[in-house]
Amino acid sequence: MPKANNSSALKKEILSVNLLLIGLTLLLTLASTLWLTLRQSQQALENNLMNSAQVIARTPEVAGSLAAGQPSSRLLEFLDESIRQVSDIDVIVVADAAGVQYYYPDHRHIGSVYAGAGGRRVLEGEPSFLSDDEDIEGAERCAFTEVRDSQGRLLGFVAVGIYMRSLSIIILRTLVRFFLIAAAVFGLGFLLSRKLSDKIKNSLLGYEPEAFLQLFYQREDILEALEEGILAIDSNAVVVFVNRAAREMLSIKGNAVGKPLSQAAPRSVLDRILRTAKPEYNVKLNSSGQREILANRMPIYRDKKLIGAVAIFRNRTEMARLAEDLTGVQHMVEAMRAYTHEFMNKLHVILGFLQLHQPERAEEYILEITRVQQQAISVIMRCIQDPSVAALLVGKTSRAAELGIQLKLDGASNLSAEQLLLPSNVYITILGNLIENSIEALNQTPRTPKSILVSIREEARRLFICVEDTGAGMYPGTVRYIFQQGFSTKASGRGSGLALVKEVVDIYQGDLRVESQPGVGTSFFITFSSPLPESGNQRS
């Protein structure tokens, strides 16, 4: 499974989620902070306006000009300089008790009467206040305060205002400041999100979470399907994995994952590996039944630190049986055992005739069995040159005869000793399992006659094998399943012979066909064909 690149979905997802959270947080934070900041700025601006108005009202130049009844040059210079120097002041108005303006930023309005409502409020007795008086050249906010002389007489008033343009600049500066902060936070969040995504990906070995999860489940399924048992524990001797085969071999009931080893499998000594940190191989276990189980126990390290242990269990009994079936050893042993048993039975018959003082009958019996045996053996020895296959057929003939079954080799059969198409062990696996399958089928039916016909035809580039019996036969629905591992119409625990035949035929690219009819019998036809050799090459 390929690993994701840097522009992976994981990184995009983490970035999107983090940036969304940062954006929402910033939006809420900035909105509330901006509102508070603007409100504080407005209050500070109003305080500055009022303080400026009061300071200007107390200056000698203002009071002196109003008391003198005309604006002085020093007043004009002072107020012009104040407007230029103080950023929070855009306009200043000084008027006497009659509303006549002694100062206005536009000197052309000096001498005219102030027409705004704020001036009247001061002259009517309200000493100081803030107003949205727009009569001062469109000022947005104004502060008004009275001017009195040392005896407390009302001389006039001072108005200090700020334009909307200045307020907009203040708001804009505040917004720019906050947007710069937001951009810095976004940038920091982006970098942290990338580092977080890289850290998560490194912890997942470079895989996306979905791909890692799929890979995890795939490996779980593979380990669960293995015929070898697997049991793993962590450094605290707690079971972290156990597959189906291990549960069966160790008789573990229920879900053992997450349980202490002593509770899940009390007889297991896997935790010993945590103490010794040394592997143990081919340890024989005591198992219920006839199974012989071998275990390999190994420590698990990560970064040179012991983090657990794993045990792998193998059913040695099943492995030995399959090996014997594959090599034909079991068939040869059974054949020789049957041959020996039949020979002993015949010796007992001969001994009986002699004890009954009937030597003539004993002689006739010896000649008859010799003739029958010689006929069967002579056909096999004449047609079959491979000694292993010949020995198998002789042994199976004796075993079948002991069970009242006649096993015959087609007289037209032929098989050389050169093993042109198949090695001897493959012949033994195929013929041994097919003949044994027929013997068992005939042994379970009362039908007569009971016979098996074996035919082997070997050509330069073609091989034909046929095994036919006169058993009970099978229905089409049964024929479809006879090559499946574990399927059997006989006793439980069988069903591997025909599956092994099918496996071997497939390995050597042969063709296997079955014809069966209830009440008639069953025939197995197997054909192997050798491809033509390429120019200049010979088949080894």
Side-chain angles (χ1 to χ4, degrees):
M1 185 179 296
K3 296 183 179 181
N5 54 28
N6 289 333
S7 59
S8 62
L10 172 63
K11 184 168 294 185
K12 292 180 180 178
E13 186 173 351
I14 292 178
L15 286 175
S16 300
V17 172
N18 284 355
L19 292 180
L20 178 61
L21 291 176
I22 293 172
L24 292 175
T25 305
L26 281 175
L27 181 62
L28 295 175
T29 304
L30 291 180
S32 58
T33 306
L34 182 62
W35 180 79
L36 291 175
T37 302
L38 291 177
R39 184 172 182 179
Q40 291 174 354
S41 299
Q42 182 178 3
Q43 290 177 350
L45 178 65
E46 291 177 350
N47 290 334
N48 290 336
L49 287 176
M50 181 58 67
N51 291 335
S52 298
Q54 292 175 350
V55 169
I56 293 173
R58 294 188 180 94
T59 58
E61 288 81 2
V62 173
S65 296
L66 292 176
Q70 62 180 1
S72 65
S73 60
R74 292 185 60 188
L75 174 66
L76 299 180
E77 293 176 359
F78 168 71
L79 295 181
D80 286 340
E81 185 66 20
S82 298
I83 292 175
R84 286 194 297 269
Q85 296 295 328
V86 182
S87 59
D88 292 341
I89 297 178
D90 290 328
V91 61
I92 298 175
V93 175
V94 176
D96 61 12
V100 177
Q101 298 177 141
Y102 280 46
Y103 178 80
Y104 203 91
D106 187 354
H107 293 181
R108 291 175 299 177
H109 294 287
I110 295 176
S112 62
V113 178
Y114 180 79
R120 290 195 298 272
R121 290 173 58 185
V122 176
L123 298 177
E124 290 173 356
E126 191 172 355
S128 299
F129 59 87
L130 291 169
S131 174
D132 296 330
D133 194 339
E134 298 181 354
D135 290 341
I136 306 178
E137 293 188 352
E140 179 67 19
R141 195 72 169 159
C142 295
F144 290 86
T145 186
E146 62 185 6
V147 181
R148 293 182 179 273
D149 60 12
S150 58
Q151 286 77 29
R153 292 178 300 174
L154 181 64
L155 298 178
F157 64 89
V158 173
V160 178
I162 188 170
Y163 293 147
M164 183 64 191
R165 168 177 41 84
S166 299
L167 287 175
S168 300
I169 292 175
I170 294 174
I171 295 174
L172 181 61
R173 287 175 179 174
T174 305
L175 289 176
V176 169
R177 201 161 43 238
F178 275 94
F179 278 124
L180 290 176
I181 295 174
V185 173
F186 261 96
L188 181 61
F190 179 80
L191 294 177
L192 293 177
S193 299
R194 289 191 57 139
K195 291 183 68 68
L196 176 62
S197 64
D198 291 338
K199 184 176 181 180
I200 293 176
K201 285 191 63 177
N202 290 334
S203 65
L204 297 179
L205 303 180
Y207 291 98
E208 291 294 320
E210 295 81 4
F212 189 84
L213 185 62
Q214 182 181 1
L215 182 63
F216 172 78
Y217 284 131
Q218 287 176 348
R219 294 187 177 181
E220 285 272 322
D221 294 340
I222 292 172
L223 294 176
E224 188 70 19
L226 289 177
E227 294 186 1
E228 290 78 12
I230 300 177
L231 173 65
I233 59 175
D234 61 15
S235 58
N236 297 318
V238 175
V239 177
V240 294
F241 180 80
V242 56
N243 68 348
R244 172 192 54 81
R247 291 194 296 269
E248 293 177 357
M249 294 181 187
L250 302 179
S251 300
I252 296 177
K253 304 298 183 183
N255 184 16
V257 176
K259 297 181 179 179
L261 180 66
S262 58
Q263 179 182 347
R267 299 173 60 186
S268 176
V269 294
L270 179 59
D271 53 348
R272 182 169 61 197
I273 305 299
L274 299 177
R275 298 189 296 271
T276 64
K278 295 181 179 180
E280 300 175 357
Y281 298 103
N282 297 323
V283 179
K284 186 176 180 180
L285 302 182
N286 295 324
S287 179
S288 59
Q290 302 298 320
R291 294 183 300 180
E292 181 181 348
I293 298 175
L294 296 180
N296 291 337
R297 306 186 186 109
M298 293 156 287
I300 302 175
Y301 290 93
R302 178 179 296 170
D303 298 330
K304 298 181 179 181
K305 180 181 179 182
L306 183 66
I307 63 171
V310 61
I312 301 176
F313 307 97
R314 292 172 296 165
N315 188 346
R316 188 179 182 278
T317 306
E318 182 67 14
M319 294 171 61
R321 187 186 66 79
L322 290 176
E324 290 176 353
D325 288 343
L326 188 60
T327 60
V329 172
Q330 186 66 25
H331 296 301
M332 297 292 293
V333 172
E334 291 178 358
M336 297 309 297
R337 184 184 297 116
Y339 189 79
T340 302
H341 190 263
E342 184 187 14
F343 182 73
M344 292 300 297
N345 289 338
K346 291 175 180 178
L347 285 179
H348 290 158
V349 173
I350 295 171
L351 179 60
F353 281 134
L354 293 178
Q355 288 177 343
L356 293 174
H357 306 290
Q358 297 180 5
E360 299 84 3
R361 296 286 303 276
E363 182 180 359
E364 291 176 2
Y365 181 73
I366 293 173
L367 293 175
E368 177 63 20
I369 62 175
T370 302
R371 182 184 62 81
V372 173
Q373 194 73 12
Q374 284 180 345
Q375 287 180 350
I377 294 177
S378 62
V379 173
I380 294 174
M381 299 306 295
R382 174 174 54 84
C383 300
I384 307 300
Q385 304 301 316
D386 188 306
S388 299
V389 179
L392 174 69
L393 293 175
V394 170
K396 289 295 184 183
T397 301
S398 300
R399 169 169 164 74
E402 184 181 4
L403 298 174
I405 301 171
Q406 183 183 25
L407 192 154
K408 293 176 58 178
L409 177 67
D410 182 10
S413 299
N414 66 296
L415 180 63
S416 64
E418 283 76 13
Q419 302 181 11
L420 297 177
L421 295 175
L422 298 176
S424 296
N425 64 307
V426 177
Y427 285 107
I428 293 173
T429 299
I430 294 174
L431 290 171
N433 281 289
L434 291 180
I435 294 174
E436 189 64 28
N437 183 76
S438 296
I439 290 175
E440 292 183 358
L442 289 168
N443 197 36
Q444 292 180 354
T445 179
R447 297 181 68 250
T448 56
K450 298 181 180 182
S451 62
I452 300 174
L453 177 63
V454 178
S455 180
I456 304 174
R457 308 289 179 88
E458 183 185 53
E459 300 175 1
R461 303 194 181 279
R462 189 172 182 271
L463 175 66
F464 174 77
I465 299 175
C466 176
V467 177
E468 301 178 278
D469 65 58
T470 59
M474 295 176 290
Y475 290 96
T478 304
V479 174
R480 290 198 299 267
Y481 301 103
I482 61 174
F483 295 111
Q484 292 184 3
Q485 181 69 35
F487 178 82
S488 177
T489 58
K490 310 174 186 67
S492 61
R494 311 298 296 276
S496 63
L498 293 181
L500 187 58
V501 171
K502 181 68 167 61
E503 181 180 350
V504 172
V505 171
D506 290 341
I507 290 174
Y508 286 88
Q509 300 180 355
D511 178 68
L512 174 59
R513 182 168 55 91
V514 183
E515 293 183 1
S516 186
Q517 184 175 351
V520 177
T522 303
S523 300
F524 292 87
F525 304 95
I526 302 176
T527 305
F528 294 94
S529 299
S530 174
L532 292 175
E534 297 180 3
S535 175
N537 296 330
Q538 297 295 329
R539 182 180 176 86
S540 58

